[in-house]
Amino acid sequence: MKLFITQASPYARKVRVVLAEKHIECDLVTVASLAAPDSPVPEYNPLGKIPTLVLDDGTSYYDSAVIVDYLDNKVPVSRLIPQDNINRALVRRWEALADGVCDATVAVVMEKRRPPEKQDETLIERQMQKVTRGLKRMSEDMRESKWATGDRFTLADIAVGCVLGYIDLRMPEIGWRDLYPNLAKLHEQLMARPSFKDTAPPPS
Ligand SMILES: N[C@@H](CCC(=O)N[C@@H](CS)C(=O)NCC(=O)O)C(=O)O
């Protein structure tokens, strides 16, 4: 089994943390440039995106939400996604929110890479609102709990930890630790786990 990744991708990190937490062996293939015409990814994923998981029989899975679902069921111990309907939906909603904040962060970063005169301020503002509203909602929903949702470590915590790490990388000026001490506490707790420590994005 092999997983196509880039080192900085928060979506790929989510899958890497799941692999580590569940002790699943998988070869990691770092893609140098997703935009390059010779990127190996489109052969397995027509969207050309990472993470993409390829099984030994050639079956490929994407996107990150599908991959983590597959992995959690492949090794059904230490489940990261609850099996009962309500708690499962809550965990997946946290994942959707965290991934959505990643999407908005990526959109802002990409727009800001364009020449200043071509940047769309309205787009940037709209995406930034998603980021700030998303972080605020995470903090409000978590309150003083130890974990994002429920009484144990789940995929919700993994998704939140990955988006916070990505914001540290791309938008440290947000200062989310001062704004949301409960998220800071959760992040510190997560960074004590080898699965998070070993997958931290390299400094940009
Ligand atoms: N919803 C997807 C998002 C994946 C994604 O956007 N990955 C980025 C890298 S962080 C990518 O592959 N970008 C290349 C492209 O869009 O062509 C997931 O959760 O896997």
Side-chain angles (χ1 to χ4, degrees), residues 9-11 34 47-51 63-64 99:
S9 167
Y11 315 100
L34 290 163
L47 304 174
K49 293 187 177 199
I50 56 93
D63 59 5
S64 61
D99 285 3

Side-chain angles (χ1 to χ4, degrees), residues 13 16-17 20-21 187-202:
R13 186 181 187 198
R16 290 161 69 200
V17 170
E21 290 288 341
H187 188 256
E188 204 178 296
Q189 202 173 271
L190 294 172
M191 284 303 288
R193 301 175 88 92
S195 60
F196 268 88
K197 225 182 292 175
D198 296 346
T199 56

